[in-house]
Amino acid sequence: MEKPYLQLIRSSRKTDEALIFLDGYQSKYKNDNRLWSKYLDRADWQGSIYRLWWDAGCDYGRKYLMSPLGYIPIVNELAHSYPHWRMVVKRAEVSGLKFLPSLISSIPERNVSLIGYSLGCRLIHYGINRFEPKRSSTSIKNIILLAGAIRTIKWEKIAKKIDGNIYNLHNNNDWILNNLFTQFGLYMYKPCGVSPIKSRHEKIKNIDITRQINTQSHDLKNYLRILSRHNYLK
């Protein structure tokens, strides 16, 4: 596994705040920096913007002709990609536990908000569980979860460590989370990307965006459009 790092996308506009976004599966092969910047600008975010790069994917061969499953692409896709998917899920956990707390504390801005998309929400969950506010000069303000590929339990400890709120934007019809992640991924819990976080903690806000987003797509752009219409970053 390659070591995660922070990449500065845009410097702050006269404020001591920063936002770190954490992308999802296979994002290491993509460059969505402009997409994130575009919608964060629309949301009137004035602070610095950082991307947390993590080892969110791996190359694997889809050698259907050599497969005992023959010429069934979707079956081959699932059979051959599943071990790699599980490996990347584990990398998200390790990246959060081992690296996220120190990376948060390494930037000059003292007030930091986090936005996770899909597996990026796993990094946040494990990383902020390990984060110790009393040992850091950095404060966590808000956490925003988009299409979260992480469970709906054990968020209260995280809520107690932040100054603002946890906003869980869930789309009950997200096809990837309802099917590939939950069923084929052999995940025993409904992820928070399709279900409310199970907590009555005052800092945990479940936002049902099913009607607003009006799609089964797991595409990042759809979630950023919703984000840009609201003031969760304030």
Side-chain angles (χ1 to χ4, degrees):
M1 186 187 90
E2 296 183 56
K3 186 177 179 180
Y5 62 87
L6 288 176
Q7 176 187 12
L8 177 63
I9 306 303
R10 190 193 74 196
S11 297
S12 176
R13 297 169 178 169
K14 299 181 181 179
T15 177
D16 190 32
E17 290 189 84
L19 184 147
I20 300 173
F21 67 83
L22 302 89
D23 255 329
Y25 184 55
Q26 299 289 61
S27 60
K28 64 180 286 186
Y29 302 116
K30 304 175 184 178
N31 187 340
D32 287 330
N33 294 349
R34 289 185 178 180
L35 183 67
W36 279 94
S37 295
K38 172 184 175 180
Y39 285 100
L40 290 173
D41 278 342
R42 289 186 181 181
D44 197 30
W45 175 253
Q46 298 295 311
S48 300
I49 300 174
Y50 293 85
R51 175 195 182 190
L52 189 146
W53 184 96
W54 63 287
D55 202 353
C58 59
D59 293 315
Y60 56 87
R62 299 182 177 93
K63 300 180 179 179
Y64 301 140
L65 296 180
M66 299 175 62
S67 170
L69 298 171
Y71 295 90
I72 311 175
I74 186 62
V75 177
N76 272 280
E77 177 75 15
L78 294 171
H80 290 291
S81 66
Y82 178 73
H84 302 275
W85 158 254
R86 294 303 305 170
M87 179 177 67
V88 174
V89 169
K90 185 63 178 179
R91 285 178 183 172
E93 177 182 344
V94 173
S95 296
L97 288 171
K98 190 173 181 180
F99 297 103
L100 183 57
S102 60
L103 287 172
I104 290 172
S105 298
S106 71
I107 61 177
E109 295 85 0
R110 298 298 86 189
N111 298 290
V112 176
S113 292
L114 304 171
I115 300 183
Y117 165 67
S118 195
L119 282 182
C121 298
R122 296 185 74 84
L123 271 82
I124 292 174
H125 187 275
Y126 287 105
I128 305 305
N129 261 311
R130 181 65 60 88
F131 181 73
E132 297 184 30
K134 293 182 179 179
R135 295 189 177 185
S136 175
S137 59
T138 303
S139 298
I140 306 296
K141 189 176 179 182
N142 294 313
I143 293 175
I144 301 173
L145 309 174
L146 307 175
I150 182 65
R151 59 192 173 188
T152 59
I153 59 176
K154 299 184 178 179
W155 285 93
E156 289 86 355
K157 181 180 177 182
I158 296 171
K160 293 175 182 178
K161 294 184 178 186
I162 69 175
D163 295 335
N165 297 310
I166 297 174
Y167 296 101
N168 175 39
L169 278 63
H170 59 93
N171 171 18
N172 303 344
N173 295 331
D174 188 304
W175 191 88
I176 293 291
L177 294 178
N178 277 316
N179 294 281
L180 293 185
F181 183 75
T182 305
Q183 297 177 22
F184 298 118
L186 301 181
Y187 195 71
M188 64 183 297
Y189 305 104
K190 276 281 189 181
C192 67
V194 294
S195 298
I197 291 173
K198 296 178 181 178
S199 173
R200 294 184 178 180
H201 195 286
E202 62 180 4
K203 290 186 177 181
I204 296 178
K205 315 292 185 182
N206 288 299
I207 316 295
D208 187 348
I209 62 169
T210 306
R211 290 187 177 180
Q212 293 181 67
I213 200 167
N214 194 31
T215 180
Q216 295 181 341
S217 172
H218 190 67
D219 186 67
L220 171 62
K221 185 183 294 186
N222 294 321
Y223 286 90
L224 290 179
R225 284 173 180 158
I226 300 298
L227 177 66
S228 67
R229 299 172 188 169
H230 301 278
N231 62 348
Y232 305 128
L233 297 173
K234 301 297 183 183

